[in-house]
Amino acid sequence: MHRIWAIIERDLRRFRRSPTLIVMSMLMPLVQLVVLGYAFGGKVKNLEIGIVDQDHGVPAIKLKEMFQAVAANARTFDTIAYHDQAVALHDLREGRINGVLTIPPHFSRKVLAGANPRVALVEDNTDQFSTSALGGALTELLATYNSPADPPRETAKVTLDMVEIYPYVPYIQYLLPGTITLAIFVSAMIGGGIIFIDDKARGLHEGYLVTPIRKFELILGFNLAGAIKAIIAGFVLVTVGSIIAGIPDPLNVLRLARMMVLVVVTALALISMMFLLMVRVSDPLVPRAIFGVLNTVLFFPSGAVYPTASFPPWMKAITVVDPFTYAVHGFKQLVLKNTGLMSISYDLAFLVGFTLLAMSAATLLFRRTL
Amino acid sequence: MSAVEVEHLTKRFGDFCAVDALSFAVERGEIFGLLGPNGAGKSTLIRMLTTLVPPTSGSARVNGFDIVRAANGVRQSIGVIPQAMTSDLELSAEENLNIFAKLYGIPREPRRRAIKTLLQAVDLEPWADKPVKMFSGGMRRRLEIARGLVHEPNIFFLDEPTTGLDPVSRVAVWDMLSRLKRERDLTILVTTHYMDEADKLCDRVAIVDHGKLAALDSPLKLKASIPGRNILEVSFSKVPAGWENTLRTLPDVAELKAEDHVFRLASHNGPRTTVALMEAARSANVTVTSLSVQSTTLDDVFVHYTGHQLRDALQAPATAESPYLMKRH
């Protein structure tokens, strides 16, 4: 135990004296939380729609007024009046506006005659988020336009009443579980990957290998030292991240305690995975080179930024074996739903099993010689 | 029982034979020097003896422990100073020693005493709590020597401990090693590039080249074993035909080598050969442009046994070194 503690002590003393390293391993995930959270989380607003009125009748004017009402209130879009459809379409192709709504000639006559009146929306479909927002807003607006001012009572019509059992979850809160996992991963990558290989290349491991320390003591020491640093990073993200993301009652002691259980288990899983990947590596460029790829392969298929239900089968296969998946799911349960540990028992069991497997494989592959 | 016994020890890396069936023994209490150019196999040999590299064949025992079958016994009884500086720069001198003492499982109180004594022994006590990154190369090397002795080993392995140090630091390191050897009854096995150091400080010297043992004896006996007691290095304004034969027949000349118009004559009697040489040059109307007469050194021994200058070999480019490898400077 003395020997294992010696390795941990050495690593933690060095960590404490490298404030840049501490800041970097925690700052990057926090920046990602804030930037991605606000970049993806907000509603699409202030799109530009060109309106070409070729009718000029009263029903057309009513429709335009409804558009202007949306522009003035919800601000999903602003309207720009065009007299010439060709000019409007040219501006659309040039990217000056996001769509062109054309009210065709005889629109008013068809409305009054009840003869299937139509308006046309030409949209820039290269941006699916804007197209979707625009389509949704216009569909809603036309439904309102179509509904009679004095609707008859229709008892046979089925309507859906939706009840949300949790308070509204902004995207930044949805992203927080992934960000906590990412902070633990970055710390594991730096501590278990980059620093481990740098030390090896500098000959520091030679110093360990000539002592009577046993192979398993060495591996346990390296893993625990890396895990402690990752746990510190995880704790900061759990607390600071919850405050930044606006989680209700962010410093709830019981929830923090449950989350720390998951932080510890996740840290051990990720550091043992990293150690397994690096156990035979000696070139310091390797961990730096695979950092980005590993981050992408583990983070995005985990459901941290988008539901896994939408993934193709090959990506779902990654999701199943990716430790991120279980960490992110666990943190979602604890952060967004404030559940107990029983609801994440499967996640915890997977991560513990993964740790044991990775550490055993690393012990088998680890060479006690140079 | 010898401190180190090596029998037909061999290490191959693919087709390349780094250490080729070496056999020798290091006696207890001696300072044993391993000399050889880069790539001669010295570091591989030390790494095998310190259990860092498994041998391909042959065997060795260190302090009675087999380096393969009883590797942990070897590790417990040796101190090792590797070629690279491996102290933690962010930690203090005391912290570095403390961590290593813990790795050897030394209990708290003996650990505290051993660290204090060692820091005094290597003259680093005033800087015990300062980070190692503030240390000079010589101070760092002294700290590493202390680190290697923290568990009071019987045998001390040092791989080029003074390379890259300034002359004052080199002298300090060697004085320290000699003193520690006396005080702690150590056996020291050291590799070095510095022939003068090996000459002065080693009880016995092994010259290794291409993984083989070229010579092994005390520096005095090694110097006596090569032809001539003096070496004359001489160059001339011109070299007439048959001049080499003339030089070879000068009185007391034991050996003659010519390299780039510089002639090296090994002589049993330097002054007599010099006088005869000057007379021969005057008779042949040849001007002596440079002449030096020196006693035989380990450099000469090395050249005699390996056939090339150590200095040339040291300038060969290093292979496959990581850009992150810390160099001594």
Side-chain angles (χ1 to χ4, degrees), chain A residues 47-268:
Chain A
L47 298 169
E48 302 279 359
I49 295 191
I51 296 184
V52 185
D53 185 1
Q54 297 172 331
D55 177 74
H56 304 294
V58 173
I61 291 166
K62 183 187 167 195
L63 185 62
K64 283 196 288 184
E65 281 173 353
M66 287 181 78
F67 272 79
Q68 279 152 9
V70 171
N73 296 305
R75 306 202 69 81
T76 307
F77 51 77
D78 294 324
T79 57
I80 302 167
Y82 282 89
H83 297 295
D84 187 339
Q85 192 180 32
V87 175
L89 290 174
H90 178 261
D91 280 1
L92 177 65
R93 287 201 178 88
E94 291 294 314
R96 293 189 194 103
I97 56 178
N98 303 95
V100 176
L101 184 90
T102 304
I103 305 172
H106 312 302
F107 170 77
S108 299
R109 190 180 299 169
K110 285 185 179 178
V111 170
L112 295 172
N116 196 19
R118 303 174 80 89
V119 289
L121 175 67
V122 183
E123 57 188 1
D124 175 4
N125 62 327
T126 56
D127 178 353
Q128 289 197 9
F129 293 103
S130 300
T131 308
S132 171
L134 203 55
L138 290 192
T139 305
E140 200 177 315
L141 190 145
L142 285 176
T144 310
Y145 182 86
N146 288 330
S147 60
D150 183 17
R153 183 173 292 179
E154 293 178 52
T155 51
K157 191 173 176 182
V158 178
T159 56
L160 175 67
D161 290 332
M162 292 176 71
V163 178
E164 293 177 336
I165 60 168
Y166 298 106
Y168 170 68
V169 176
Y171 189 72
I172 192 169
Q173 290 180 12
Y174 180 81
L175 201 60
L176 181 62
T179 310
I180 296 168
T181 314
L182 187 68
I184 297 169
F185 170 74
V186 171
S187 192
M189 186 72 216
I190 294 173
I194 293 171
I195 292 178
F196 176 74
I197 301 299
D198 281 2
D199 283 356
K200 207 178 191 179
R202 286 168 62 193
L204 292 184
H205 289 192
E206 228 176 295
Y208 288 143
L209 297 178
V210 294
T211 70
I213 192 165
R214 286 195 296 271
K215 192 168 154 176
F216 185 69
E217 289 175 322
L218 257 177
I219 288 165
L220 202 60
F222 285 140
N223 275 286
L224 289 179
I228 290 170
K229 288 185 278 184
I231 289 166
I232 295 168
F235 177 73
V236 170
L237 259 291
V238 160
T239 49
V240 179
S242 294
I243 293 168
I244 290 175
I247 300 290
D249 193 10
L251 301 178
N252 179 309
V253 176
L254 197 57
R255 180 169 56 190
L256 284 181
R258 289 180 193 132
M259 285 173 78
M260 282 313 292
V261 172
L262 187 55
V263 165
V264 170
V265 174
T266 304
L268 284 168

Side-chain angles (χ1 to χ4, degrees), chain B:
Chain B
M1 184 179 63
S2 303
V4 179
E5 295 164 287
V6 178
E7 286 169 23
H8 305 293
L9 198 63
T10 302
K11 181 66 190 178
R12 290 184 173 280
F13 297 102
D15 291 337
F16 175 67
C17 189
V19 174
D20 192 359
L22 274 184
S23 297
F24 64 89
V26 179
E27 299 308 325
R28 289 198 179 273
E30 73 173 336
I31 299 184
F32 188 91
L34 274 173
L35 303 185
N38 277 355
K42 308 183 304 287
S43 292
T44 306
L45 175 61
I46 282 214
R47 284 177 169 187
M48 281 194 286
L49 295 177
T50 55
T51 75
L52 285 171
V53 172
T56 308
S57 63
S59 65
R61 280 172 300 284
V62 175
N63 204 31
F65 297 104
D66 187 281
I67 57 167
V68 177
R69 286 191 292 274
N72 249 3
V74 174
R75 290 174 194 135
Q76 194 68 55
S77 51
I78 60 170
V80 184
I81 302 301
Q83 213 174 95
M85 297 268 200
T86 57
S87 295
D88 267 317
L89 302 181
E90 293 88 356
L91 304 192
S92 71
E94 194 170 6
E95 285 169 335
N96 265 288
L97 296 185
N98 200 31
I99 300 271
F100 268 83
K102 284 182 181 175
L103 285 173
Y104 282 100
I106 302 170
R108 185 194 295 262
E109 197 45 42
R111 190 167 72 219
R112 200 186 56 76
R113 278 198 309 270
I115 291 170
K116 189 175 167 55
T117 310
L118 278 168
L119 283 171
Q120 277 170 350
V122 296
D123 296 332
L124 286 177
E125 210 186 10
W127 295 279
D129 59 347
K130 296 287 180 288
V132 175
K133 64 184 168 194
M134 294 167 74
F135 284 17
S136 68
M139 289 165 82
R140 281 170 64 188
R141 188 46 91 189
R142 273 149 46 205
L143 173 65
E144 301 211 333
I145 288 171
R147 195 187 78 188
L149 296 172
V150 79
H151 58 298
E152 300 188 350
N154 306 110
I155 304 166
F156 204 20
F157 289 87
L158 299 105
D159 198 358
E160 297 178 17
T162 53
T163 302
L165 298 187
D166 62 78
V168 176
S169 299
R170 275 172 55 193
V171 171
V173 165
W174 274 106
D175 285 350
M176 199 160 288
L177 282 174
S178 301
R179 198 178 70 235
L180 288 168
K181 183 206 158 226
R182 278 196 310 275
E183 289 169 3
R184 292 169 179 251
D185 194 22
L186 280 171
T187 302
I188 296 178
L189 197 152
V190 60
T191 72
T192 180
H193 285 140
Y194 298 111
M195 298 291 179
D196 55 331
E197 287 180 352
D199 197 354
K200 267 185 266 176
L201 299 155
C202 292
D203 299 306
R204 285 195 304 151
V205 164
I207 295 175
V208 181
D209 197 19
H210 300 299
K212 290 183 176 165
L213 198 62
L216 168 59
D217 218 323
S218 67
L220 270 177
K221 285 183 181 169
L222 280 176
K223 283 187 281 188
S225 72
I226 66 167
R229 283 197 330 232
N230 297 109
I231 300 291
L232 280 72
E233 261 190 15
V234 59
S235 58
F236 306 96
S237 57
K238 59 181 180 180
V239 180
W243 187 239
E244 212 169 305
N245 274 338
T246 308
L247 296 179
R248 208 182 295 278
T249 53
L250 290 174
D252 297 311
V253 170
E255 195 179 73
L256 172 73
K257 283 181 182 172
E259 199 175 280
D260 292 338
H261 304 294
V262 178
F263 293 85
R264 287 170 61 87
L265 292 89
S267 167
H268 297 299
N269 187 331
R272 213 147 72 105
T273 306
T274 307
V275 171
L277 171 74
M278 297 308 286
E279 279 172 9
R282 195 165 43 245
S283 307
N285 204 22
V286 171
T287 311
V288 175
T289 52
S290 72
L291 171 66
S292 71
V293 183
Q294 59 198 10
S295 300
T296 308
T297 63
L298 269 187
D299 271 314
D300 304 313
V301 175
F302 187 87
V303 172
H304 177 80
Y305 282 108
T306 65
H308 53 80
Q309 289 273 9
L310 179 64
R311 202 172 296 115
D312 293 338
L314 286 173
Q315 287 167 355
T319 55
E321 279 191 349
S322 159
Y324 293 85
L325 190 67
M326 184 177 292
K327 302 275 196 173
R328 281 200 297 271
H329 47 76

